Amino acid sequence: MNIILLGPPGAGKGTQARMLVEERGMVQLSTGDMLREAKDSGTEMGNIVADVMARGALVTDEIVIGLIKEKLETVKANGFIFDGFPRTLAQADALGDLLEAVGETLAHVVEMRVDDEALVARITARSTCGGCGEVYNDNTKPIPSDGACTNCGKKDDFKRRADDNEESLKTRLMEYYKQTSPLIGYYYAKGKLSRVDGLGAIDAVQAEIKSVLDS
Ligand code: AMP
């Protein structure tokens, strides 16, 4: 079963996707993670996107569609979770074509709704484990006092994302409302859209998502 988690930055898409990976053996395809990897390893593409990402703007459709195409053609999975992709109508159209080309379909698009003030508070308090990407929050899920990641055990390797600051967040939110939120209507019209309340506790949101997936 292939699904999209759709929502603004800080809605909790990555956290929820990781839980589904663990429990259902699905494969998370996060274009944000792929782009950060390219940037950190200094590939030519990584260097091109670094500045765009730091500003919170969107990388070109061509680049992100290429990344997803490669994964769909090479990775075998018991279902993909698209996290942070698609973000534009052109990407959504391309995803439909790519899935069709590999004989797959899209089962659900889950919109995670969170109000804007909560997003700012979440993002500016967020850090991730450099070992496994586990997400922490200063207020709701602080880094353990012994400094060891609860997921992978790696010690004292927690990072704040370069674009998790108020300035880039403004741009990221604007991009979400201008370019990505039209996908809500797009997938509603295709009969694929479900909504969950992304403001609840992590486990409560996960339960809501699973009930959509099992419906
Ligand atoms: P994320 O980790 O999903 O918040 O993505 C981080 C940044 O990567 C975004 O602010 C964009 O600059 C870029 N990015 C990730 N996914 C996409 C996408 N599907 N389309 C365009 N840019 C993207």
Side-chain angles (χ1 to χ4, degrees), residues 26 80 89 152:
M26 298 170 82
F80 290 105
L89 289 167
C152 73

Side-chain angles (χ1 to χ4, degrees), residues 9-10 13 30-33 35-36 49 52-61 64 83-88 91 126 161 163-164 172:
K13 303 182 295 293
S30 158
T31 39
D33 286 349
L35 292 166
R36 274 184 291 280
V49 300
V52 178
M53 291 176 75
R55 281 189 288 115
L58 291 188
V59 170
T60 63
D61 289 335
V64 289
D83 158 12
F85 180 93
R87 264 174 155 98
T88 65
Q91 291 176 25
R126 169 162 86 170
R161 272 172 52 171
D163 58 348
D164 274 353
R172 287 157 72 197

Side-chain angles (χ1 to χ4, degrees), residues 109-139:
V109 177
V110 182
E111 183 200 353
M112 300 177 61
R113 307 199 110 190
V114 179
D115 72 55
D116 294 336
E117 277 174 34
L119 294 176
V120 178
R122 276 188 182 183
I123 283 200
T124 49
R126 169 162 86 170
S127 49
T128 49
C129 169
C132 68
E134 184 77 358
V135 181
Y136 292 86
N137 180 290
D138 296 345
N139 308 312

